Amino acid sequence: MTPTTTNRKQLLNDLLDELTSHSPADMLRYMRRWPSGPLSLVHLQVLTVLETDGPVPMGTLAESLDVSQASTTGIVDRMEQRGLVERRRDDEDRRVVRVALTEDGTRLLAGVAAGRRERLGILLQELSDEELDGFLRGSRALRAARLRLAPKWAAPETRPTDEASR
């Protein structure tokens, strides 16, 4: 192995350590203190699916969550009680029940995004101009790499592996 290869592997390892140092427990603690009441990861996942895909049938939502339709019914019941989602009959097939975001659900997602942006802004204020410039260039390069690999990773048979990081 050449010194360049060794340095690159160490650099990649150090970057991976930095990028994965955020604790999921920290995120859960924050979500429990959300102004509109505790927000579970499952609820956030439901909101994200609905924001991405629009109103979806209960069965499709259950598949997206990888839970039974009965479990999905309970999840949606609780979210409906909080005013985050609503059930709607399908216009073409009245037997199909679709789950949709409400205005409150949309506002909650916007609030999550705004809160995240605000906290990131506070963190970025702590960096020097030189650090900010380097971080911006690195972030743009990472996004470009993600966009290049997105079509490949979208196919189930080509999930990211350790090989992809070499």
Side-chain angles (χ1 to χ4, degrees), residues 75-147:
I75 293 164
V76 169
D77 284 346
R78 287 186 296 282
M79 293 182 74
E80 198 170 36
Q81 289 168 359
R82 290 182 61 189
L84 301 174
V85 300
E86 63 185 2
R87 289 177 171 94
R88 298 178 184 162
R89 292 279 174 195
D90 188 270
D91 292 336
E92 295 177 18
D93 184 348
R94 303 290 295 159
R95 296 171 297 175
V96 175
V97 175
R98 291 183 175 274
V99 182
L101 277 177
T102 61
E103 287 184 25
D104 284 350
T106 301
R107 271 194 296 277
L108 180 76
L109 280 174
V112 168
R116 180 173 181 257
R117 185 177 174 92
E118 181 182 333
R119 288 186 309 283
L120 283 171
I122 292 167
L123 288 172
L124 292 173
Q125 288 293 328
E126 296 295 313
L127 302 180
S128 70
D129 288 350
E130 184 179 312
E131 290 168 327
L132 284 170
D133 182 61
F135 189 63
L136 178 60
R137 284 185 287 114
S139 294
R140 285 177 174 164
L142 190 60
R143 180 172 38 146
R146 188 175 56 241
L147 290 172

Side-chain angles (χ1 to χ4, degrees), residues 10-21 162 165:
Q10 184 60 50
L11 183 59
L12 285 170
N13 190 51
D14 290 349
L15 279 168
L16 286 169
D17 287 347
E18 288 299 322
L19 291 171
T20 58
S21 67
D162 195 30
S165 65

